Amino acid sequence: MLIGYTPADIEGAHANGVRVIAVATGRSDEAALRDADAEVVLPDLRDAELLVKLVGNGV
């Protein structure tokens, strides 16, 4: 599981068989992260409980 914030993060993770939770807190917006096929896209990291649940479930 990778938590990333760019399409390049997603591409690199997927190339290595890793699932991605993408967070739109960097240069890339939610649409760009969805277009890069992240398994989950979050607008930010404010909901820590949700993030822990997603990581725990392996998305």
Side-chain angles (χ1 to χ4, degrees):
M1 179 68 54
L2 175 87
I3 299 171
Y5 62 95
T6 69
D9 293 338
I10 297 163
E11 181 181 334
H14 286 169
N16 289 285
V18 176
R19 298 171 65 102
V20 180
I21 297 171
V23 185
T25 56
R27 292 171 275 159
S28 303
D29 62 16
E30 291 180 58
L33 299 172
R34 272 192 224 91
D35 289 346
D37 294 325
E39 281 71 20
V40 174
V41 177
L42 301 176
D44 53 50
L45 292 173
R46 284 185 253 187
D47 191 345
E49 185 176 328
L50 173 60
L51 182 61
V52 169
K53 182 184 279 187
L54 290 168
V55 170
N57 289 338
V59 176

mmCIF file of all heavy atoms in Angstrom:
data_model
loop_
_atom_site.group_PDB
_atom_site.id
_atom_site.type_symbol
_atom_site.label_atom_id
_atom_site.label_comp_id
_atom_site.label_asym_id
_atom_site.label_seq_id
_atom_site.Cartn_x
_atom_site.Cartn_y
_atom_site.Cartn_z
ATOM 1 N N MET A 1 0.837 -1.165 0.000
ATOM 2 C CA MET A 1 0.000 0.000 0.000
ATOM 3 C C MET A 1 0.890 1.239 0.000
ATOM 4 O O MET A 1 1.815 1.345 0.805
ATOM 5 C CB MET A 1 -0.870 -0.011 1.259
ATOM 6 C CG MET A 1 -1.775 1.163 1.401
ATOM 7 S SD MET A 1 -3.096 1.225 0.205
ATOM 8 C CE MET A 1 -3.826 -0.370 0.428
ATOM 9 N N LEU A 2 0.615 2.140 -0.923
ATOM 10 C CA LEU A 2 1.331 3.403 -0.999
ATOM 11 C C LEU A 2 0.332 4.535 -0.834
ATOM 12 O O LEU A 2 -0.760 4.489 -1.395
ATOM 13 C CB LEU A 2 2.032 3.550 -2.353
ATOM 14 C CG LEU A 2 2.700 4.892 -2.583
ATOM 15 C CD1 LEU A 2 4.115 4.863 -2.020
ATOM 16 C CD2 LEU A 2 2.726 5.249 -4.048
ATOM 17 N N ILE A 3 0.705 5.527 -0.078
ATOM 18 C CA ILE A 3 -0.059 6.768 -0.014
ATOM 19 C C ILE A 3 0.749 7.781 -0.803
ATOM 20 O O ILE A 3 1.883 8.097 -0.443
ATOM 21 C CB ILE A 3 -0.270 7.228 1.441
ATOM 22 C CG1 ILE A 3 -1.058 6.159 2.203
ATOM 23 C CG2 ILE A 3 -1.004 8.570 1.462
ATOM 24 C CD1 ILE A 3 -1.152 6.402 3.681
ATOM 25 N N GLY A 4 0.181 8.243 -1.905
ATOM 26 C CA GLY A 4 0.900 9.142 -2.787
ATOM 27 C C GLY A 4 0.052 10.334 -3.176
ATOM 28 O O GLY A 4 -1.130 10.404 -2.858
ATOM 29 N N TYR A 5 0.678 11.268 -3.907
ATOM 30 C CA TYR A 5 -0.066 12.467 -4.280
ATOM 31 C C TYR A 5 0.166 12.929 -5.714
ATOM 32 O O TYR A 5 -0.249 14.025 -6.079
ATOM 33 C CB TYR A 5 0.215 13.602 -3.288
ATOM 34 C CG TYR A 5 1.654 14.058 -3.234
ATOM 35 C CD1 TYR A 5 2.083 15.145 -3.986
ATOM 36 C CD2 TYR A 5 2.580 13.398 -2.440
ATOM 37 C CE1 TYR A 5 3.399 15.563 -3.953
ATOM 38 C CE2 TYR A 5 3.897 13.815 -2.389
ATOM 39 C CZ TYR A 5 4.298 14.897 -3.145
ATOM 40 O OH TYR A 5 5.599 15.309 -3.110
ATOM 41 N N THR A 6 0.784 12.074 -6.539
ATOM 42 C CA THR A 6 0.954 12.427 -7.951
ATOM 43 C C THR A 6 0.633 11.220 -8.832
ATOM 44 O O THR A 6 0.730 10.070 -8.390
ATOM 45 C CB THR A 6 2.398 12.866 -8.264
ATOM 46 O OG1 THR A 6 3.261 11.730 -8.167
ATOM 47 C CG2 THR A 6 2.871 13.988 -7.352
ATOM 48 N N PRO A 7 0.290 11.467 -10.092
ATOM 49 C CA PRO A 7 0.117 10.357 -11.022
ATOM 50 C C PRO A 7 1.379 9.501 -11.139
ATOM 51 O O PRO A 7 1.290 8.287 -11.313
ATOM 52 C CB PRO A 7 -0.236 11.056 -12.343
ATOM 53 C CG PRO A 7 -0.945 12.298 -11.902
ATOM 54 C CD PRO A 7 -0.171 12.747 -10.683
ATOM 55 N N ALA A 8 2.553 10.112 -11.022
ATOM 56 C CA ALA A 8 3.802 9.340 -11.080
ATOM 57 C C ALA A 8 3.904 8.375 -9.903
ATOM 58 O O ALA A 8 4.392 7.248 -10.062
ATOM 59 C CB ALA A 8 5.007 10.279 -11.102
ATOM 60 N N ASP A 9 3.438 8.794 -8.722
ATOM 61 C CA ASP A 9 3.410 7.888 -7.568
ATOM 62 C C ASP A 9 2.542 6.674 -7.873
ATOM 63 O O ASP A 9 2.916 5.537 -7.589
ATOM 64 C CB ASP A 9 2.834 8.589 -6.326
ATOM 65 C CG ASP A 9 3.695 9.712 -5.791
ATOM 66 O OD1 ASP A 9 4.910 9.731 -6.058
ATOM 67 O OD2 ASP A 9 3.129 10.579 -5.090
ATOM 68 N N ILE A 10 1.395 6.931 -8.462
ATOM 69 C CA ILE A 10 0.447 5.865 -8.775
ATOM 70 C C ILE A 10 1.038 4.925 -9.826
ATOM 71 O O ILE A 10 0.990 3.699 -9.677
ATOM 72 C CB ILE A 10 -0.890 6.468 -9.254
ATOM 73 C CG1 ILE A 10 -1.513 7.300 -8.130
ATOM 74 C CG2 ILE A 10 -1.848 5.381 -9.725
ATOM 75 C CD1 ILE A 10 -2.600 8.247 -8.590
ATOM 76 N N GLU A 11 1.603 5.498 -10.867
ATOM 77 C CA GLU A 11 2.203 4.690 -11.934
ATOM 78 C C GLU A 11 3.322 3.805 -11.386
ATOM 79 O O GLU A 11 3.391 2.608 -11.692
ATOM 80 C CB GLU A 11 2.751 5.607 -13.019
ATOM 81 C CG GLU A 11 3.365 4.872 -14.179
ATOM 82 C CD GLU A 11 3.920 5.814 -15.234
ATOM 83 O OE1 GLU A 11 3.439 6.959 -15.346
ATOM 84 O OE2 GLU A 11 4.844 5.395 -15.948
ATOM 85 N N GLY A 12 4.191 4.376 -10.581
ATOM 86 C CA GLY A 12 5.292 3.604 -10.011
ATOM 87 C C GLY A 12 4.813 2.496 -9.101
ATOM 88 O O GLY A 12 5.338 1.373 -9.136
ATOM 89 N N ALA A 13 3.812 2.791 -8.294
ATOM 90 C CA ALA A 13 3.268 1.776 -7.395
ATOM 91 C C ALA A 13 2.639 0.636 -8.184
ATOM 92 O O ALA A 13 2.912 -0.535 -7.928
ATOM 93 C CB ALA A 13 2.245 2.405 -6.449
ATOM 94 N N HIS A 14 1.807 0.980 -9.156
ATOM 95 C CA HIS A 14 1.131 -0.049 -9.949
ATOM 96 C C HIS A 14 2.132 -0.897 -10.740
ATOM 97 O O HIS A 14 1.918 -2.095 -10.916
ATOM 98 C CB HIS A 14 0.105 0.576 -10.888
ATOM 99 C CG HIS A 14 -1.125 1.045 -10.167
ATOM 100 N ND1 HIS A 14 -2.073 1.831 -10.776
ATOM 101 C CD2 HIS A 14 -1.561 0.848 -8.899
ATOM 102 C CE1 HIS A 14 -3.049 2.083 -9.917
ATOM 103 N NE2 HIS A 14 -2.747 1.498 -8.768
ATOM 104 N N ALA A 15 3.215 -0.290 -11.203
ATOM 105 C CA ALA A 15 4.245 -1.036 -11.940
ATOM 106 C C ALA A 15 4.896 -2.099 -11.060
ATOM 107 O O ALA A 15 5.464 -3.064 -11.567
ATOM 108 C CB ALA A 15 5.307 -0.080 -12.474
ATOM 109 N N ASN A 16 4.762 -1.922 -9.754
ATOM 110 C CA ASN A 16 5.350 -2.871 -8.804
ATOM 111 C C ASN A 16 4.294 -3.655 -8.028
ATOM 112 O O ASN A 16 4.587 -4.252 -6.996
ATOM 113 C CB ASN A 16 6.273 -2.116 -7.840
ATOM 114 C CG ASN A 16 7.512 -1.652 -8.547
ATOM 115 O OD1 ASN A 16 8.392 -2.455 -8.836
ATOM 116 N ND2 ASN A 16 7.581 -0.372 -8.874
ATOM 117 N N GLY A 17 3.061 -3.638 -8.541
ATOM 118 C CA GLY A 17 1.998 -4.422 -7.937
ATOM 119 C C GLY A 17 1.479 -3.881 -6.610
ATOM 120 O O GLY A 17 0.918 -4.633 -5.819
ATOM 121 N N VAL A 18 1.650 -2.585 -6.400
ATOM 122 C CA VAL A 18 1.245 -1.967 -5.133
ATOM 123 C C VAL A 18 -0.019 -1.142 -5.344
ATOM 124 O O VAL A 18 -0.129 -0.389 -6.312
ATOM 125 C CB VAL A 18 2.389 -1.068 -4.603
ATOM 126 C CG1 VAL A 18 1.975 -0.332 -3.340
ATOM 127 C CG2 VAL A 18 3.640 -1.902 -4.356
ATOM 128 N N ARG A 19 -0.958 -1.271 -4.429
ATOM 129 C CA ARG A 19 -2.198 -0.498 -4.478
ATOM 130 C C ARG A 19 -1.945 0.903 -3.920
ATOM 131 O O ARG A 19 -1.025 1.100 -3.138
ATOM 132 C CB ARG A 19 -3.288 -1.207 -3.703
ATOM 133 C CG ARG A 19 -3.608 -2.587 -4.327
ATOM 134 C CD ARG A 19 -4.528 -3.376 -3.452
ATOM 135 N NE ARG A 19 -5.812 -2.738 -3.368
ATOM 136 C CZ ARG A 19 -6.904 -3.120 -4.044
ATOM 137 N NH1 ARG A 19 -6.839 -4.153 -4.822
ATOM 138 N NH2 ARG A 19 -8.028 -2.477 -3.914
ATOM 139 N N VAL A 20 -2.808 1.861 -4.317
ATOM 140 C CA VAL A 20 -2.543 3.261 -3.988
ATOM 141 C C VAL A 20 -3.759 3.960 -3.391
ATOM 142 O O VAL A 20 -4.868 3.863 -3.907
ATOM 143 C CB VAL A 20 -2.114 4.048 -5.249
ATOM 144 C CG1 VAL A 20 -1.840 5.506 -4.912
ATOM 145 C CG2 VAL A 20 -0.908 3.411 -5.898
ATOM 146 N N ILE A 21 -3.502 4.672 -2.309
ATOM 147 C CA ILE A 21 -4.425 5.671 -1.796
ATOM 148 C C ILE A 21 -3.802 7.005 -2.191
ATOM 149 O O ILE A 21 -2.694 7.329 -1.756
ATOM 150 C CB ILE A 21 -4.572 5.600 -0.265
ATOM 151 C CG1 ILE A 21 -5.157 4.261 0.154
ATOM 152 C CG2 ILE A 21 -5.443 6.763 0.240
ATOM 153 C CD1 ILE A 21 -5.147 4.024 1.655
ATOM 154 N N ALA A 22 -4.466 7.742 -3.051
ATOM 155 C CA ALA A 22 -3.938 9.022 -3.520
ATOM 156 C C ALA A 22 -4.608 10.160 -2.758
ATOM 157 O O ALA A 22 -5.812 10.112 -2.489
ATOM 158 C CB ALA A 22 -4.191 9.179 -5.010
ATOM 159 N N VAL A 23 -3.825 11.157 -2.418
ATOM 160 C CA VAL A 23 -4.314 12.293 -1.648
ATOM 161 C C VAL A 23 -4.038 13.566 -2.434
ATOM 162 O O VAL A 23 -2.899 13.830 -2.818
ATOM 163 C CB VAL A 23 -3.636 12.352 -0.269
ATOM 164 C CG1 VAL A 23 -4.241 13.462 0.573
ATOM 165 C CG2 VAL A 23 -3.764 11.019 0.458
ATOM 166 N N ALA A 24 -5.088 14.341 -2.670
ATOM 167 C CA ALA A 24 -4.985 15.540 -3.509
ATOM 168 C C ALA A 24 -4.505 16.747 -2.701
ATOM 169 O O ALA A 24 -5.138 17.795 -2.685
ATOM 170 C CB ALA A 24 -6.327 15.824 -4.171
ATOM 171 N N THR A 25 -3.372 16.595 -2.049
ATOM 172 C CA THR A 25 -2.827 17.708 -1.271
ATOM 173 C C THR A 25 -1.593 18.302 -1.925
ATOM 174 O O THR A 25 -1.026 19.257 -1.416
ATOM 175 C CB THR A 25 -2.452 17.262 0.160
ATOM 176 O OG1 THR A 25 -1.534 16.174 0.076
ATOM 177 C CG2 THR A 25 -3.674 16.849 0.946
ATOM 178 N N GLY A 26 -1.191 17.758 -3.038
ATOM 179 C CA GLY A 26 0.003 18.244 -3.723
ATOM 180 C C GLY A 26 -0.373 18.989 -4.990
ATOM 181 O O GLY A 26 -1.387 19.678 -5.056
ATOM 182 N N ARG A 27 0.432 18.807 -6.012
ATOM 183 C CA ARG A 27 0.231 19.514 -7.288
ATOM 184 C C ARG A 27 -0.903 18.926 -8.121
ATOM 185 O O ARG A 27 -1.393 19.576 -9.039
ATOM 186 C CB ARG A 27 1.517 19.473 -8.098
ATOM 187 C CG ARG A 27 2.629 20.295 -7.478
ATOM 188 C CD ARG A 27 3.931 20.041 -8.183
ATOM 189 N NE ARG A 27 4.494 18.840 -7.543
ATOM 190 C CZ ARG A 27 5.391 18.054 -8.060
ATOM 191 N NH1 ARG A 27 5.854 18.272 -9.245
ATOM 192 N NH2 ARG A 27 5.833 17.010 -7.401
ATOM 193 N N SER A 28 -1.323 17.703 -7.820
ATOM 194 C CA SER A 28 -2.342 17.019 -8.629
ATOM 195 C C SER A 28 -3.696 17.092 -7.941
ATOM 196 O O SER A 28 -3.806 16.866 -6.741
ATOM 197 C CB SER A 28 -1.952 15.562 -8.834
ATOM 198 O OG SER A 28 -0.683 15.482 -9.446
ATOM 199 N N ASP A 29 -4.726 17.378 -8.743
ATOM 200 C CA ASP A 29 -6.072 17.424 -8.165
ATOM 201 C C ASP A 29 -6.710 16.034 -8.190
ATOM 202 O O ASP A 29 -6.141 15.072 -8.718
ATOM 203 C CB ASP A 29 -6.938 18.453 -8.876
ATOM 204 C CG ASP A 29 -7.168 18.157 -10.353
ATOM 205 O OD1 ASP A 29 -6.923 17.009 -10.796
ATOM 206 O OD2 ASP A 29 -7.608 19.067 -11.063
ATOM 207 N N GLU A 30 -7.896 15.940 -7.590
ATOM 208 C CA GLU A 30 -8.579 14.646 -7.485
ATOM 209 C C GLU A 30 -8.826 14.019 -8.848
ATOM 210 O O GLU A 30 -8.663 12.803 -9.009
ATOM 211 C CB GLU A 30 -9.889 14.801 -6.717
ATOM 212 C CG GLU A 30 -9.695 15.106 -5.253
ATOM 213 C CD GLU A 30 -10.997 15.260 -4.507
ATOM 214 O OE1 GLU A 30 -11.807 14.309 -4.517
ATOM 215 O OE2 GLU A 30 -11.207 16.338 -3.921
ATOM 216 N N ALA A 31 -9.208 14.807 -9.831
ATOM 217 C CA ALA A 31 -9.491 14.268 -11.167
ATOM 218 C C ALA A 31 -8.243 13.632 -11.782
ATOM 219 O O ALA A 31 -8.318 12.542 -12.362
ATOM 220 C CB ALA A 31 -10.032 15.368 -12.074
ATOM 221 N N ALA A 32 -7.100 14.290 -11.650
ATOM 222 C CA ALA A 32 -5.853 13.739 -12.202
ATOM 223 C C ALA A 32 -5.481 12.435 -11.517
ATOM 224 O O ALA A 32 -5.000 11.500 -12.168
ATOM 225 C CB ALA A 32 -4.723 14.755 -12.053
ATOM 226 N N LEU A 33 -5.726 12.349 -10.236
ATOM 227 C CA LEU A 33 -5.404 11.128 -9.494
ATOM 228 C C LEU A 33 -6.364 10.001 -9.865
ATOM 229 O O LEU A 33 -5.957 8.845 -9.987
ATOM 230 C CB LEU A 33 -5.423 11.412 -7.993
ATOM 231 C CG LEU A 33 -4.402 12.460 -7.534
ATOM 232 C CD1 LEU A 33 -4.629 12.805 -6.066
ATOM 233 C CD2 LEU A 33 -2.985 11.996 -7.782
ATOM 234 N N ARG A 34 -7.627 10.331 -10.064
ATOM 235 C CA ARG A 34 -8.585 9.314 -10.527
ATOM 236 C C ARG A 34 -8.218 8.832 -11.925
ATOM 237 O O ARG A 34 -8.262 7.640 -12.214
ATOM 238 C CB ARG A 34 -10.007 9.884 -10.534
ATOM 239 C CG ARG A 34 -10.711 9.723 -9.238
ATOM 240 C CD ARG A 34 -12.207 10.025 -9.361
ATOM 241 N NE ARG A 34 -12.581 10.847 -8.230
ATOM 242 C CZ ARG A 34 -12.569 12.169 -8.190
ATOM 243 N NH1 ARG A 34 -12.264 12.868 -9.247
ATOM 244 N NH2 ARG A 34 -12.893 12.818 -7.105
ATOM 245 N N ASP A 35 -7.857 9.778 -12.793
ATOM 246 C CA ASP A 35 -7.467 9.425 -14.165
ATOM 247 C C ASP A 35 -6.244 8.518 -14.195
ATOM 248 O O ASP A 35 -6.069 7.740 -15.131
ATOM 249 C CB ASP A 35 -7.185 10.681 -14.991
ATOM 250 C CG ASP A 35 -8.441 11.467 -15.329
ATOM 251 O OD1 ASP A 35 -9.564 10.922 -15.170
ATOM 252 O OD2 ASP A 35 -8.305 12.634 -15.747
ATOM 253 N N ALA A 36 -5.402 8.615 -13.168
ATOM 254 C CA ALA A 36 -4.209 7.766 -13.076
ATOM 255 C C ALA A 36 -4.527 6.400 -12.473
ATOM 256 O O ALA A 36 -3.650 5.574 -12.294
ATOM 257 C CB ALA A 36 -3.133 8.470 -12.255
ATOM 258 N N ASP A 37 -5.807 6.177 -12.154
ATOM 259 C CA ASP A 37 -6.310 4.882 -11.668
ATOM 260 C C ASP A 37 -5.909 4.517 -10.243
ATOM 261 O O ASP A 37 -5.691 3.337 -9.934
ATOM 262 C CB ASP A 37 -5.927 3.742 -12.620
ATOM 263 C CG ASP A 37 -6.619 3.871 -13.967
ATOM 264 O OD1 ASP A 37 -7.780 4.329 -13.998
ATOM 265 O OD2 ASP A 37 -6.006 3.525 -14.983
ATOM 266 N N ALA A 38 -5.822 5.513 -9.364
ATOM 267 C CA ALA A 38 -5.622 5.201 -7.950
ATOM 268 C C ALA A 38 -6.818 4.402 -7.452
ATOM 269 O O ALA A 38 -7.956 4.636 -7.881
ATOM 270 C CB ALA A 38 -5.480 6.480 -7.133
ATOM 271 N N GLU A 39 -6.579 3.460 -6.564
ATOM 272 C CA GLU A 39 -7.672 2.659 -6.022
ATOM 273 C C GLU A 39 -8.632 3.521 -5.193
ATOM 274 O O GLU A 39 -9.843 3.312 -5.214
ATOM 275 C CB GLU A 39 -7.124 1.518 -5.153
ATOM 276 C CG GLU A 39 -6.610 0.330 -5.933
ATOM 277 C CD GLU A 39 -5.310 0.584 -6.671
ATOM 278 O OE1 GLU A 39 -4.563 1.526 -6.331
ATOM 279 O OE2 GLU A 39 -5.037 -0.168 -7.616
ATOM 280 N N VAL A 40 -8.078 4.489 -4.470
ATOM 281 C CA VAL A 40 -8.876 5.417 -3.661
ATOM 282 C C VAL A 40 -8.276 6.802 -3.820
ATOM 283 O O VAL A 40 -7.053 6.951 -3.856
ATOM 284 C CB VAL A 40 -8.851 5.018 -2.167
ATOM 285 C CG1 VAL A 40 -9.558 6.055 -1.310
ATOM 286 C CG2 VAL A 40 -9.455 3.648 -1.950
ATOM 287 N N VAL A 41 -9.130 7.822 -3.914
ATOM 288 C CA VAL A 41 -8.664 9.209 -3.958
ATOM 289 C C VAL A 41 -9.334 9.968 -2.819
ATOM 290 O O VAL A 41 -10.552 9.955 -2.686
ATOM 291 C CB VAL A 41 -8.999 9.881 -5.303
ATOM 292 C CG1 VAL A 41 -8.577 11.347 -5.288
ATOM 293 C CG2 VAL A 41 -8.342 9.137 -6.453
ATOM 294 N N LEU A 42 -8.506 10.602 -1.990
ATOM 295 C CA LEU A 42 -8.997 11.421 -0.884
ATOM 296 C C LEU A 42 -8.648 12.880 -1.154
ATOM 297 O O LEU A 42 -7.598 13.172 -1.716
ATOM 298 C CB LEU A 42 -8.347 10.986 0.429
ATOM 299 C CG LEU A 42 -8.557 9.536 0.866
ATOM 300 C CD1 LEU A 42 -7.751 9.256 2.133
ATOM 301 C CD2 LEU A 42 -10.030 9.259 1.094
ATOM 302 N N PRO A 43 -9.513 13.799 -0.717
ATOM 303 C CA PRO A 43 -9.215 15.216 -0.936
ATOM 304 C C PRO A 43 -8.083 15.727 -0.045
ATOM 305 O O PRO A 43 -7.381 16.663 -0.406
ATOM 306 C CB PRO A 43 -10.525 15.912 -0.608
ATOM 307 C CG PRO A 43 -11.231 14.988 0.323
ATOM 308 C CD PRO A 43 -10.814 13.601 -0.097
ATOM 309 N N ASP A 44 -7.918 15.112 1.119
ATOM 310 C CA ASP A 44 -6.885 15.521 2.078
ATOM 311 C C ASP A 44 -6.746 14.422 3.132
ATOM 312 O O ASP A 44 -7.363 13.367 3.005
ATOM 313 C CB ASP A 44 -7.240 16.860 2.734
ATOM 314 C CG ASP A 44 -8.628 16.854 3.350
ATOM 315 O OD1 ASP A 44 -8.956 15.910 4.111
ATOM 316 O OD2 ASP A 44 -9.398 17.788 3.083
ATOM 317 N N LEU A 45 -5.957 14.673 4.152
ATOM 318 C CA LEU A 45 -5.720 13.663 5.197
ATOM 319 C C LEU A 45 -6.436 13.988 6.509
ATOM 320 O O LEU A 45 -6.082 13.467 7.555
ATOM 321 C CB LEU A 45 -4.213 13.527 5.451
ATOM 322 C CG LEU A 45 -3.423 12.929 4.302
ATOM 323 C CD1 LEU A 45 -1.935 12.996 4.590
ATOM 324 C CD2 LEU A 45 -3.856 11.504 4.021
ATOM 325 N N ARG A 46 -7.446 14.811 6.463
ATOM 326 C CA ARG A 46 -8.152 15.202 7.687
ATOM 327 C C ARG A 46 -8.882 14.048 8.361
ATOM 328 O O ARG A 46 -9.000 14.030 9.574
ATOM 329 C CB ARG A 46 -9.138 16.325 7.401
ATOM 330 C CG ARG A 46 -8.447 17.651 7.232
ATOM 331 C CD ARG A 46 -9.456 18.724 7.080
ATOM 332 N NE ARG A 46 -9.429 19.121 5.683
ATOM 333 C CZ ARG A 46 -10.084 20.129 5.189
ATOM 334 N NH1 ARG A 46 -10.863 20.847 5.948
ATOM 335 N NH2 ARG A 46 -9.983 20.434 3.930
ATOM 336 N N ASP A 47 -9.386 13.108 7.567
ATOM 337 C CA ASP A 47 -10.139 11.984 8.145
ATOM 338 C C ASP A 47 -9.186 10.817 8.418
ATOM 339 O O ASP A 47 -9.125 9.843 7.677
ATOM 340 C CB ASP A 47 -11.254 11.566 7.196
ATOM 341 C CG ASP A 47 -12.238 10.594 7.823
ATOM 342 O OD1 ASP A 47 -11.921 10.014 8.892
ATOM 343 O OD2 ASP A 47 -13.317 10.400 7.242
ATOM 344 N N ALA A 48 -8.451 10.935 9.502
ATOM 345 C CA ALA A 48 -7.454 9.913 9.852
ATOM 346 C C ALA A 48 -8.099 8.558 10.089
ATOM 347 O O ALA A 48 -7.527 7.525 9.743
ATOM 348 C CB ALA A 48 -6.670 10.356 11.082
ATOM 349 N N GLU A 49 -9.290 8.537 10.655
ATOM 350 C CA GLU A 49 -9.978 7.271 10.914
ATOM 351 C C GLU A 49 -10.253 6.530 9.605
ATOM 352 O O GLU A 49 -10.045 5.317 9.519
ATOM 353 C CB GLU A 49 -11.286 7.531 11.664
ATOM 354 C CG GLU A 49 -11.995 6.275 12.084
ATOM 355 C CD GLU A 49 -13.246 6.572 12.912
ATOM 356 O OE1 GLU A 49 -13.261 7.578 13.641
ATOM 357 O OE2 GLU A 49 -14.186 5.776 12.816
ATOM 358 N N LEU A 50 -10.703 7.260 8.593
ATOM 359 C CA LEU A 50 -10.945 6.629 7.291
ATOM 360 C C LEU A 50 -9.644 6.108 6.691
ATOM 361 O O LEU A 50 -9.598 4.995 6.168
ATOM 362 C CB LEU A 50 -11.592 7.641 6.325
ATOM 363 C CG LEU A 50 -11.752 7.164 4.881
ATOM 364 C CD1 LEU A 50 -12.628 5.914 4.802
ATOM 365 C CD2 LEU A 50 -12.300 8.287 4.021
ATOM 366 N N LEU A 51 -8.587 6.889 6.774
ATOM 367 C CA LEU A 51 -7.311 6.469 6.229
ATOM 368 C C LEU A 51 -6.824 5.191 6.899
ATOM 369 O O LEU A 51 -6.393 4.250 6.226
ATOM 370 C CB LEU A 51 -6.273 7.580 6.383
ATOM 371 C CG LEU A 51 -4.901 7.282 5.799
ATOM 372 C CD1 LEU A 51 -4.984 7.041 4.306
ATOM 373 C CD2 LEU A 51 -3.946 8.411 6.118
ATOM 374 N N VAL A 52 -6.912 5.120 8.216
ATOM 375 C CA VAL A 52 -6.502 3.910 8.944
ATOM 376 C C VAL A 52 -7.346 2.720 8.512
ATOM 377 O O VAL A 52 -6.822 1.625 8.300
ATOM 378 C CB VAL A 52 -6.579 4.144 10.474
ATOM 379 C CG1 VAL A 52 -6.423 2.844 11.230
ATOM 380 C CG2 VAL A 52 -5.532 5.155 10.896
ATOM 381 N N LYS A 53 -8.628 2.927 8.343
ATOM 382 C CA LYS A 53 -9.520 1.847 7.913
ATOM 383 C C LYS A 53 -9.143 1.361 6.507
ATOM 384 O O LYS A 53 -9.076 0.170 6.252
ATOM 385 C CB LYS A 53 -10.972 2.320 7.920
ATOM 386 C CG LYS A 53 -11.964 1.243 7.534
ATOM 387 C CD LYS A 53 -13.375 1.770 7.464
ATOM 388 C CE LYS A 53 -13.950 1.824 8.855
ATOM 389 N NZ LYS A 53 -15.398 2.175 8.838
ATOM 390 N N LEU A 54 -8.882 2.291 5.595
ATOM 391 C CA LEU A 54 -8.516 1.917 4.228
ATOM 392 C C LEU A 54 -7.208 1.126 4.206
ATOM 393 O O LEU A 54 -7.097 0.112 3.521
ATOM 394 C CB LEU A 54 -8.380 3.159 3.356
ATOM 395 C CG LEU A 54 -9.679 3.878 3.025
ATOM 396 C CD1 LEU A 54 -9.389 5.245 2.411
ATOM 397 C CD2 LEU A 54 -10.540 3.046 2.094
ATOM 398 N N VAL A 55 -6.221 1.596 4.954
ATOM 399 C CA VAL A 55 -4.941 0.889 4.995
ATOM 400 C C VAL A 55 -5.126 -0.481 5.622
ATOM 401 O O VAL A 55 -4.603 -1.476 5.129
ATOM 402 C CB VAL A 55 -3.883 1.730 5.751
ATOM 403 C CG1 VAL A 55 -2.627 0.907 6.010
ATOM 404 C CG2 VAL A 55 -3.545 3.000 4.973
ATOM 405 N N GLY A 56 -5.879 -0.548 6.697
ATOM 406 C CA GLY A 56 -6.115 -1.821 7.388
ATOM 407 C C GLY A 56 -6.835 -2.836 6.521
ATOM 408 O O GLY A 56 -6.587 -4.039 6.615
ATOM 409 N N ASN A 57 -7.712 -2.343 5.646
ATOM 410 C CA ASN A 57 -8.461 -3.225 4.753
ATOM 411 C C ASN A 57 -7.700 -3.526 3.468
ATOM 412 O O ASN A 57 -8.186 -4.292 2.631
ATOM 413 C CB ASN A 57 -9.811 -2.611 4.394
ATOM 414 C CG ASN A 57 -10.764 -2.612 5.556
ATOM 415 O OD1 ASN A 57 -10.637 -3.389 6.495
ATOM 416 N ND2 ASN A 57 -11.722 -1.699 5.540
ATOM 417 N N GLY A 58 -6.544 -2.907 3.288
ATOM 418 C CA GLY A 58 -5.789 -3.119 2.053
ATOM 419 C C GLY A 58 -6.473 -2.518 0.853
ATOM 420 O O GLY A 58 -6.239 -2.919 -0.276
ATOM 421 N N VAL A 59 -7.346 -1.563 1.101
ATOM 422 C CA VAL A 59 -8.166 -0.900 0.083
ATOM 423 C C VAL A 59 -8.857 -1.938 -0.678
ATOM 424 O O VAL A 59 -9.203 -2.348 -1.525
ATOM 425 C CB VAL A 59 -7.342 0.076 -0.781
ATOM 426 C CG1 VAL A 59 -8.167 0.664 -1.881
ATOM 427 C CG2 VAL A 59 -6.760 1.160 0.062
#
